[in-house]
Amino acid sequence: MKRTLLAVPLALACSAALCSPHRYALVVTEPELAAIGAEDRPGLEAKATALRDAEQDHAAQKLALAAAEREAQIAGLMVSRDRTTAEIAELEFQAAQETKDADTMLPAKQARAAAATQLQRSLATQRRSQAQRDLVIQLVAVREAEIPVARAILELARYEAAAKARGGPEGERLAGFRLQVATFEAELAEAHLLAARAKAVVDALPGALPGEGLADGSVAPAASAP
């Protein structure tokens, strides 16, 4: 009975610690690590490698975000440029109309149409680049959420190995390590959900028009003549 009463506040304390802004994590102490047997160390090293890989993936995704932010900024500047060009073309067309000269009006009309088309291209590129940036933001969050999961899995494995060397785990503490893994895995699942929604937005956008930049840095091919 006493053991059951102790388990409840411990579980509540673990939950509060994991949900706190300080992100306190349960860890295995140095004396416990020293007691781990040689037969368990290769498995623990593999989990430590997974943690390092998660940290490297996060760093790489942050670099991808910097590139996506830059592309979105460039797209915004291109829209500003092409909107100005379209406004100028419209004013020049109005001026050409006042001349009543067909030879002056036709080139001005063509220039206005070309400027309007280019503006629409730039707006479409901006929408795609913004959606792609939003997707990369969510992918950064996924990579970031993978780190505490990998760390929690490592600490759980360390605790189980250290407990085996002592003859068995303490039930309440083992539950705390398992709760830590479950909590971070739930946060990772939420990050994956948000990333999937962002990808759906990207996938729903129309493809690039001929001559426009694609997400991979290439250029959409021009349509072939019929």
Side-chain angles (χ1 to χ4, degrees), residues 63-75 129 133-134 136-137:
L63 291 177
L65 175 57
E69 292 279 10
R70 185 166 54 249
E71 288 300 317
Q73 184 178 7
I74 290 172
S129 63
R133 177 201 58 199
D134 292 344
V136 177
I137 288 173

Side-chain angles (χ1 to χ4, degrees), residues 9 12 41 53 78 130 148 158 206:
L12 292 175
R41 293 188 180 277
D53 289 344
M78 290 176 65
Q130 289 174 339
R158 283 174 172 174

